[in-house]
């Protein structure tokens, strides 16, 4: 999300346009097909992703709504932003390399407590063979007892089947490790996307919203629920990117 917002701000695009395109083109948009493992990450995919971000019909509706929220925008609808999907994609991936300074220490402490099964339910993509990001975040993945990758199981959030898959996987893991049966109500699910949280609640999960740049709020809630001290030493100051700072000056 931070990479998307930075791209929009640095290119003079009303914030929310990219996420709007991704949302409105589901379930068969190029982004969704990549996250379900249905397409290779190649030139064909990048061209298709770029085309999804340049829909004139979606842009006219989006811009009209944006104008209601921001009266400083020109009254005449400008041309659809010319977005380079490949440039945007790698900007998103590059910025996501750093582990969250509040959540990562919390995960480490949850792991050390040995009180919980830790599982990741992640919308992912499969990088080309040999790409350096193929093994990125290995130190994060090792924390999880289960890592459910959308591109490998052919399902993605917020579609209900992947949540039901997660319940079954957690139940099997618990029983095979001498634990008790796992039901949806035993699961606490954290996510930064409202749609993903809504489906989680509908299938019976407990949920916590992780807000962009303010993950320390989610860690506070985790501490209240678990009774554990999970916060690290990182200052409780919201993360503001350089692009956001520059936009604030305008």
């Amino acid at each position: 999300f931070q990479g998307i917002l930075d791209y929009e701000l640095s290119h003079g695009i009303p914030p929310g346009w990219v996420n709007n395109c991704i949302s409105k083109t589901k379930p068969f948009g190029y982004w969704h097909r990549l996250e379900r493992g249905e397409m290779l990450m190649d030139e064909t995919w990048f061209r298709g992703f770029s085309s999804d971000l340049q829909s004139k019909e979606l842009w006219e509706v989006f811009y009209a709504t944006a104008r209601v929220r921001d009266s400083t925008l020109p009254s005449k609808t400008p041309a659809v932003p010319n977005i380079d999907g490949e440039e945007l994609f790698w900007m998103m991936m590059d910025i996501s390399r750093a582990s969250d300074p509040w959540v990562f220490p919390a995960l480490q402490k949850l792991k050390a407590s040995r009180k919980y099964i830790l599982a990741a339910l992640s919308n992912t993509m499969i990088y080309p063979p040999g790409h350096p990001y193929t093994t990125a975040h290995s130190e994060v993945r090792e924390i999880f007892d289960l890592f459910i990758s959308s591109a490998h199981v052919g399902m993605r959030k917020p579609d209900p089947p992947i949540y039901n898959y997660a319940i079954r996987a957690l139940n099997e893991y618990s029983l095979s490790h001498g634990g008790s049966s796992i039901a949806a109500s035993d699961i606490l699910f954290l996510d930064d996307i409202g749609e993903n949280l809504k489906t989680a609640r509908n299938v019976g999960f407990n949920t916590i919203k992780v807000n962009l740049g303010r993950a320390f709020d989610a860690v506070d809630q985790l501490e209240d629920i678990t009774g554990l001290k999970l916060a690290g030493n990182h200052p409780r100051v919201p993360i503001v990117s350089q692009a956001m700072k520059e936009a604030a000056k305008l």
Side-chain angles (χ1 to χ4, degrees):
F1 275 146
Q2 188 63 62
I4 291 173
L5 180 58
D6 287 354
Y7 184 94
E8 290 171 333
L9 292 175
S10 62
H11 289 76
I13 301 169
W17 166 239
V18 172
N19 286 325
N20 177 80
C21 287
I22 292 175
S23 176
K24 297 298 183 181
T25 55
K26 69 179 183 183
F28 301 115
Y30 280 82
W31 184 265
H32 315 98
R33 293 161 68 184
L34 185 70
E35 286 191 334
R36 290 193 298 265
E38 297 170 357
M39 294 191 71
L40 297 175
M41 188 186 297
D42 55 17
E43 291 182 4
T44 298
W45 183 81
F46 283 117
R47 284 196 302 271
F49 181 45
S50 295
S51 69
D52 279 351
L53 300 174
Q54 294 170 24
S55 166
K56 183 178 180 181
E57 181 180 357
L58 291 179
W59 172 247
E60 290 177 348
V61 174
F62 173 83
Y63 192 82
T65 303
R67 273 276 300 150
V68 173
R69 296 194 304 265
D70 183 359
S71 60
T72 65
L73 292 174
S75 58
K76 182 179 180 181
T77 304
V80 182
N82 184 20
I83 296 178
D84 183 332
E86 186 167 4
E87 177 190 5
L88 168 64
F89 178 84
W90 290 117
M91 189 171 183
M92 294 166 64
M93 297 303 105
D94 290 345
I95 205 170
S96 69
R97 294 306 93 200
S99 299
D100 186 272
W102 300 292
V103 173
F104 186 51
L107 283 172
Q108 292 176 308
K109 292 178 181 181
L110 282 169
K111 183 74 169 181
S113 76
R114 302 173 66 88
K115 291 185 176 182
Y116 302 96
I117 299 172
L118 299 183
L121 180 58
S122 182
N123 282 352
T124 59
M125 61 278 300
I126 299 173
Y127 292 104
H131 192 281
Y133 285 176
T134 299
T135 57
H137 286 326
S138 59
E139 74 282 1
V140 176
R141 284 177 176 254
E142 290 171 359
I143 289 177
F144 294 104
D145 301 299
L146 290 172
F147 196 100
I148 300 171
S149 161
S150 67
H152 291 85
V153 300
M155 299 173 280
R156 67 181 296 277
K157 300 179 292 185
D159 300 328
I162 197 169
Y163 296 83
N164 294 321
Y165 179 95
I167 298 171
R168 294 194 299 272
L170 280 163
N171 186 57
E172 291 173 5
Y173 180 91
S174 180
L175 293 176
S176 67
H177 287 76
S180 58
S181 298
I182 300 293
S185 59
D186 298 315
I187 298 170
L188 177 60
F189 176 78
L190 290 82
D191 206 287
D192 55 356
I193 300 179
E195 280 188 304
N196 294 347
L197 291 162
K198 181 179 179 180
T199 302
R201 289 190 294 270
N202 287 342
V203 300
F205 291 5
N206 303 286
T207 63
I208 292 177
K209 174 73 181 293
V210 184
N211 292 308
L212 181 64
R214 296 183 57 92
F216 52 82
D217 291 332
V219 174
D220 287 347
Q221 294 180 65
L222 274 175
E223 288 189 336
D224 291 341
I225 292 169
T226 63
L228 299 174
K229 179 63 178 175
L230 301 175
N233 298 320
H234 194 77
R236 294 168 57 86
V237 179
I239 295 174
V240 180
S241 70
Q242 187 59 40
M244 294 170 69
K245 293 177 182 177
E246 292 298 326
K249 296 177 183 178
L250 301 177

